[in-house]
Amino acid sequence: MKKIQMVDLQSQYKKIKGEVDNAVLNVIDDATFINGPKVKSFQKKLEEYLNIKHVIPCANGTDALQISMMGLNLMPGDEVITTNFTFAATVEVIALLRLTPVLVDVELETFNIDCDKLEKVINNRTKAIVPVHLFGQPANMEKIMSIAKKHKLFVIEDNAQAIGASYKFKSGLTMKTGTIGDIGATSFFPSKNLGCFGDGGALFTNNDDLAHKIRGIVNHGMYKRYHHDVVGVNSRLDSVQAAVLDAKLPHLNSYNKSRQNAAKKYTESLQGLDEIITPKFANGCLEICDNCHCHVFHQYTIRILNNKRDDLAKHLSDLQIPHGIYYPIPLHKQSAYFSKNYKDDDFPNTILLCDQVISLPMHSELEDDQINFICEKIKSFLK
Ligand SMILES: *Cc1c(COP(=O)(O)O)cnc(C)c1O
């Protein structure tokens, strides 16, 4: 059996080494390191893949979130709602811009923002909602878009973990996650579903004016050379990273399909144990298709009951089976984001999940014997 890794980037690279090496060497030969033709080419391909008018590449996913809030002109004091159960970057940029983060509890089943609780925290200072499609599963965009419309709020999708996922509305309309709200923000961090060989990110929007504004913001607020109309940042996707992504994008659907197949095998194998709750697949769907909700399994995250999660984690460590706890601490308990306005009673699900979740190895190169081995060890421990 091949050595089990949480994410196996080497095996993935080996299969497309020729394409990727060529693309990268071309950039080096041409010395077009910043804003080279590969950046444009990747941008166009991604616009087509997502069926969106504008993709604006940038330096990383955290910047993409920050720039989206700058682009929407959010001002200090504006309240921005997001989930308590996410990677800190989502709330970090809200705080950095001196906006006021308002954290909301998640649903136990999907790990995504609880829309009933979301609506309760809206007031006249609320300006935007940032749903996170956590672990690759789309948040309830039907409900979120209708709440946003009713209260005239912006929607910024944190799509860092869900590129390639799609969401089906009751009307039958299907859209890729990240293209539904006013803006989508994504990350190309190496371990994400579409990863480059360093840092990278992008913003998505169908709004021409917003796209224009954002293209300036990522480049020092310059719309004409050395004319700075707004305060911007320096946030570019460099050409080497764009070349890698340009070569990898055509494989994204097959990577996501492999993740779904691995998830399916985990779930089949882990059935029938009282102390494990396997993740919910939205709509029971396990295919990449254009007409249903899909879950692209950035993580395969299970819940371990009866306070056994930490013992299981230790057991897996002893067996050298990699695993992750995403996320061990609710954001409202982190010193940086603590506020006396929050009460533990507001976040029962987040608090429970932080004690119960464990993520198993998940990537496009997982093999059946590896999954079987992992599941056997979990089962024998919990028996
Ligand atoms: C990875 C991630 C980010 C940040 O992306 P970077 O490219 O690492 O800056 C933001 N939000 C979520 C949910 C993420 O998983």
Side-chain angles (χ1 to χ4, degrees), residues 59-65 86-90 132-134 158-161 186-189 192 199-201 298 327:
N60 58 68
T62 308
D63 276 5
L65 286 164
T86 175
F87 180 54
T90 322
V132 181
H133 305 301
L134 201 73
D158 182 340
N159 201 42
Q161 301 190 359
T186 206
S187 163
F188 304 120
F189 186 82
K192 300 281 153 96
D199 277 309
H298 176 61
Y327 297 93

Side-chain angles (χ1 to χ4, degrees), residues 320-333:
Q320 295 188 11
I321 297 175
H323 54 273
I325 309 285
Y326 311 119
Y327 297 93
I329 305 169
L331 289 170
H332 83 281
K333 287 187 188 285

